[in-house]
Amino acid sequence: MAFILKKLSRRGFVGGALIGAVAAKAALAQTVTAESPLGPFFPTGYRGETDADLTRIAGHAQRAKGQVIEVNGRVLDRHGQPISGARLDIWQANAAGRYSHPEDPAIMPLDPDFQGYASIHTGSDGSWKLTTIKPGSYDSPIGTRTPHIHLDVNGVKSRNILQMYFPEDEALNRKDMLYNALGDSAPTSVARALGDHRYDWDIVLIEG
Ligand SMILES: [Fe+2]
């Protein structure tokens, strides 16, 4: 009897381990978001507002020029677990395709009402939200850059520098050298359009 019980419990253990292994494999299905170059326009020395709404600056009567968009997402580890307190440093060109950066050679106009940088943190459920304008495309030494938003994401154990692209720009994305350099991972960098100028984009870090 003891032998049978032992055998049963052993079978139970093996079965449980198998189920656990299958579950773990399923949880590993998250694809890590493709890493992109930092680029030359990280706003070192920035002294302005860093809140999650880039379209409004305190004391300015005007809102930033361009199409207002909203991006919602989460930061996850590769097991799909949300990362609380991850820091996202975010920067982008304005609607005309110009960075508020002294090294940007573009002749497109600056927008004094556009906050070109934000530094935000994820909530306890790993979520983050950004209100901004759709960035313009711009010429660069490596060819035309398709519209994109830069992010430097610091999780608990991992850091990833990313660029988010827009699904409606697929034709332009395909001509962008940095987008193409992502190869098969490129789709991890494209947000999902939810309609009404809203987007959804989850970021997956290797170790969270
Ligand atoms: Fe850029």
Side-chain angles (χ1 to χ4, degrees):
M1 184 67 180
F3 171 74
I4 293 169
L5 276 176
K6 199 173 175 183
K7 198 170 180 182
L8 276 175
S9 66
R10 182 173 160 75
R11 283 181 72 171
F13 172 77
V14 171
L18 254 175
I19 291 166
V22 170
K25 200 168 182 185
L28 277 169
Q30 298 288 330
T31 305
V32 174
T33 309
E35 190 159 15
S36 290
L38 185 70
F41 303 129
F42 182 85
T44 309
Y46 179 84
R47 294 282 179 272
E49 285 181 12
T50 61
D51 64 285
D53 184 350
L54 282 76
T55 71
R56 297 184 194 278
I57 299 175
H60 288 226
Q62 303 283 334
R63 199 172 192 186
K65 294 179 186 67
Q67 176 59 58
V68 176
I69 63 171
E70 190 179 293
V71 187
N72 285 278
R74 294 176 300 162
V75 177
L76 308 169
D77 68 16
R78 69 184 193 279
H79 306 294
Q81 296 300 312
I83 307 302
S84 170
R87 193 183 85 232
L88 293 83
D89 290 325
I90 301 165
W91 67 106
Q92 64 167 87
N94 66 23
R98 170 86 183 264
Y99 286 87
S100 180
H101 190 286
E103 299 298 319
D104 187 355
I107 57 167
M108 307 310 284
L110 284 169
D111 181 353
D113 302 310
F114 178 56
Q115 175 190 313
Y117 173 75
S119 185
I120 60 176
H121 291 82
T122 56
S124 57
D125 59 352
S127 67
W128 56 279
K129 178 183 166 182
L130 190 71
T131 303
T132 185
I133 50 96
K134 173 89 183 276
S137 61
Y138 57 89
D139 291 330
S140 83
I142 57 167
T144 301
R145 292 300 331 274
T146 191
H148 59 278
I149 296 176
H150 293 267
L151 299 96
D152 178 4
V153 181
N154 287 269
V156 177
K157 298 178 186 168
S158 306
R159 177 185 183 190
N160 199 348
I161 295 163
L162 315 164
Q163 294 184 30
M164 189 198 95
Y165 298 92
F166 295 86
E168 66 271 22
D169 299 325
E170 189 182 355
L172 207 50
N173 293 345
R174 288 177 181 278
K175 294 177 185 168
D176 184 295
M177 183 184 276
L178 293 183
Y179 178 84
N180 285 323
L182 301 176
D184 292 343
S185 300
T188 63
S189 293
V190 182
R192 193 161 57 100
L194 301 177
D196 200 23
H197 307 292
R198 292 182 305 117
Y199 300 87
D200 180 63
W201 186 51
D202 284 346
I203 295 164
V204 182
L205 302 177
I206 292 176
E207 295 295 338

